[in-house]
Amino acid sequence: MGSNPGKNTYLDQVVAQSAALEDDLRTRKPVPLPPAAPGAPAPRGALAKRADRVVAPPKGEGTGPVEVRVTGFWRWQTVLVPPNAFVVHTRRGKSAPMHIGLGVSFGFNPATDSYLVVPGAMQTILINAYCICSELQGVLVQGYVQWIIEDFGTAYRKLDFSDPEDPMRLVNIQLREQAEAAIKDKVSTMGVRDVLSDKQPIIEELTARLRAVAEGSADAAGNGHGDRGLGLRIVTVQIKEAVVSSSTLWENLQKPYRSEQNQVARLAELAAQEVISARETAAHRSAEERRIENDRELADLRARNEAARFDRETVEQLRRTTREHDDQRAVADLAQATALHALRLEREQHDQKVENLRRRLELQSQELDAALARAAAESQSQHNAELLALERARVRVDTANTQNAANLQAQLVDGLPEIVAHLPKPAELKSYQIGGDLSSVSALLTQIGTVVETWSAAKGSASNGDTDSAMR
């Protein structure tokens, strides 16, 4: 079927698949553990390794290892099963399982008990079936099957879940081989075009065969008590792709459609070219007409623009000349106005100077008048003061001339407190007795005058004695 006529590629593929299948169907035994000492408890690590599936399944198959946790020691152990895994627990001497179901945990005695744990998740099988159709051409059909355990009580008795790495490996291989055989049987009765265009007959045939094997068949009454199959349930069957193995055949199958599509495309291209050519000619003519019309309109527009430009230049030249003369007249008027303003300012300054001089003269005259008035007033005041002084002296003289002894004694009595206040502090106290007739003021004053004269004489003699002592 390949490019080399002397080589049978399909036969080589079949032989290789058979060898691989024979190797896959061999049961993989776990490595035996060394025997434990009598009466000694089994190591927890060994039990956990024996119970857990720690090796992942092949890509596209299985759900991974089942992690089973074992607790306790020696004969008193407990197996904890995940909730998504099936388990069957048997005991020596018991014909029926002790425990069976999904996610069931139980007590475990290594000396008498045994158990099997299987994943309960849905399994997916990838299928690559190399088939020969009715036209003796190689076709690769790719699909997948999804299944799940429905009756574990039937499944664990009929199927081999003893692979320590992946319990589902052998079951998936068996179901995949049955699926490939069903696909090959169906494809052998179909043509290449039917296989490529309609995959529903293959899906129906594959679904019917797998369900007959996995789910079994009901009894004649149809109440489901007949053959229970393998205890499995087929969830879905799908065909993803169908590919012709020969590239030459694949190209030949595509040629009629491609040729037809090329013809349609070419005719459409020619029709489009005709339409485009006609439209291009019409467009070219319209473009040429528009060009001529545009040239004429441009010429008219240029002429109008030239005339408008000449008119603008003439008007602008006239405006500039008029503006220059107006500016010259305005400058002359401004110069004349400036000269007149300067003369007016000079006249106003002269008038201001004359007015200031007049005011200064008036002010000086007023100051002179005020000085003369002050001098006259001072002379008059001095004269009046002299007259008053003369008048006071005359009045004092007249008053002194008109005074008698009684007035003098009265003035003396009035001035006694002042005279006493100016007298020095006495160093000694002397008392004088005044007698006689004191009925009149004059007699009293006479006695007081006598006392004063006596005291003055005594004081004068004392002071003269002090002077002589000092001189000696």
Side-chain angles (χ1 to χ4, degrees):
M1 293 182 63
S3 58
N4 187 0
K7 183 178 180 181
N8 192 340
T9 307
Y10 184 76
L11 178 60
D12 296 340
Q13 292 176 355
V14 172
V15 172
Q17 288 180 358
S18 299
L21 177 61
E22 184 178 358
D23 181 66
D24 290 339
L25 289 176
R26 292 193 182 97
T27 303
R28 299 178 182 178
K29 300 296 182 179
V31 179
L33 297 174
R44 293 187 181 182
L47 289 177
K49 187 174 182 182
R50 184 182 302 167
D52 296 348
R53 276 40 172 182
V54 296
V55 179
K59 185 177 179 181
E61 300 180 4
T63 58
V66 179
E67 296 182 358
V68 178
R69 189 157 55 93
V70 180
T71 61
F73 64 96
W74 198 22
R75 297 178 183 272
W76 299 276
Q77 299 182 11
T78 301
V79 179
L80 301 178
V81 181
N84 61 343
F86 288 101
V87 63
V88 56
H89 172 214
T90 60
R91 180 166 293 173
R92 185 178 60 191
K94 301 291 185 178
S95 59
M98 299 296 294
H99 298 89
I100 184 171
L102 183 65
V104 179
S105 300
F106 52 89
F108 177 68
N109 184 358
T112 59
D113 296 355
S114 177
Y115 65 90
L116 175 66
V117 181
V118 178
M122 183 177 65
Q123 305 292 310
T124 301
I125 305 173
L126 300 181
I127 302 172
N128 292 312
Y130 293 92
C131 309
I132 300 296
C133 63
S134 60
E135 297 167 346
L136 302 180
Q137 298 297 325
V139 180
L140 173 62
V141 179
Q142 294 180 342
Y144 65 90
V145 176
Q146 291 179 333
W147 61 274
I148 194 171
I149 297 176
E150 186 175 25
D151 184 6
F152 186 64
T154 302
Y156 88 90
R157 290 194 301 267
K158 295 185 177 183
L159 298 174
D160 186 1
F161 297 107
S162 62
D163 193 330
E165 297 178 355
D166 183 10
M168 297 297 190
R169 188 179 65 84
L170 294 176
V171 179
N172 285 330
I173 292 174
Q174 293 169 357
L175 291 178
R176 184 174 67 240
E177 292 301 319
Q178 292 180 9
E180 290 183 2
I183 292 173
K184 291 180 179 181
D185 291 344
K186 185 61 179 178
V187 171
S188 64
T189 62
M190 300 172 63
V192 176
R193 295 181 182 274
D194 297 334
V195 174
L196 298 178
S197 60
D198 187 10
K199 303 177 181 62
Q200 190 61 33
I202 303 175
I203 295 175
E204 293 176 355
E205 179 69 18
L206 180 58
T207 303
R209 288 197 184 187
L210 290 179
R211 284 182 176 173
V213 173
E215 302 176 8
S217 59
D219 57 4
N223 53 12
H225 295 290
D227 183 13
R228 302 183 66 180
L230 300 177
L232 309 178
R233 181 168 64 88
I234 303 301
V235 178
T236 181
V237 175
Q238 294 294 334
I239 300 299
K240 296 193 300 183
E241 192 65 50
V243 181
V244 178
S245 300
S246 175
S247 59
T248 303
L249 177 60
W250 176 244
E251 292 178 358
N252 292 333
L253 290 173
Q254 291 177 335
K255 279 183 180 180
Y257 180 76
R258 289 182 178 178
S259 300
E260 182 180 357
Q261 294 300 317
N262 288 333
Q263 182 180 1
V264 173
R266 183 58 180 166
L267 292 175
E269 185 179 356
L270 291 176
Q273 288 180 355
E274 291 179 359
V275 174
I276 292 171
S277 178
R279 291 187 179 181
E280 285 180 350
T281 302
H284 182 70
R285 181 175 179 179
S286 299
E288 189 67 22
E289 292 177 355
R290 286 195 300 273
R291 188 182 64 79
I292 295 173
E293 183 67 20
N294 291 335
D295 291 342
R296 184 179 61 79
E297 291 178 357
L298 288 174
D300 296 341
L301 182 61
R302 288 193 186 95
R304 289 195 298 271
N305 290 336
E306 290 292 333
R309 184 172 62 80
F310 178 77
D311 294 339
R312 286 196 304 272
E313 291 178 354
T314 304
V315 171
E316 180 65 20
Q317 185 176 3
L318 178 61
R319 186 186 68 79
R320 290 183 179 181
T321 304
T322 305
R323 179 65 180 273
E324 290 177 357
H325 290 293
D326 293 341
D327 293 342
Q328 291 177 359
R329 285 196 299 271
V331 170
D333 295 340
L334 290 174
Q336 184 179 2
T338 303
L340 293 175
H341 182 67
L343 291 175
R344 186 168 57 254
L345 290 177
E346 290 179 359
R347 189 181 300 111
E348 291 177 356
Q349 290 178 358
H350 180 70
D351 294 341
Q352 289 179 359
K353 289 180 180 180
V354 172
E355 181 66 20
N356 292 333
L357 181 61
R358 185 183 61 77
R359 289 182 179 180
R360 190 179 298 109
L361 292 176
E362 290 180 356
L363 183 61
Q364 291 177 357
S365 177
Q366 292 176 359
E367 291 178 353
L368 181 60
D369 294 340
L372 293 175
R374 283 196 303 274
E378 290 177 356
S379 299
Q380 184 66 28
S381 297
Q382 186 176 4
H383 177 69
N384 292 333
E386 292 176 354
L387 290 178
L388 288 174
L390 291 176
E391 184 65 21
R392 281 196 301 272
R394 186 183 62 79
V395 171
R396 188 181 302 113
V397 171
D398 291 341
T399 302
N401 292 328
T402 57
Q403 286 182 352
N404 51 19
N407 291 334
L408 292 174
Q409 291 179 358
Q411 291 179 359
L412 180 61
V413 171
D414 292 335
L416 282 177
E418 184 178 357
I419 294 172
V420 173
H422 288 85
L423 290 176
K425 184 177 180 181
E428 58 182 353
L429 179 62
K430 293 180 180 182
S431 62
Y432 297 93
Q433 184 175 5
I434 300 173
D437 187 9
L438 298 175
S439 59
S440 62
V441 175
S442 60
L444 177 62
L445 292 175
T446 302
Q447 291 291 333
I448 292 172
T450 303
V451 172
V452 170
E453 288 177 357
T454 302
W455 177 75
S456 297
K459 185 178 180 182
S461 62
S463 57
N464 290 328
D466 294 337
T467 304
D468 294 338
S469 298
M471 290 178 65
R472 288 196 300 263

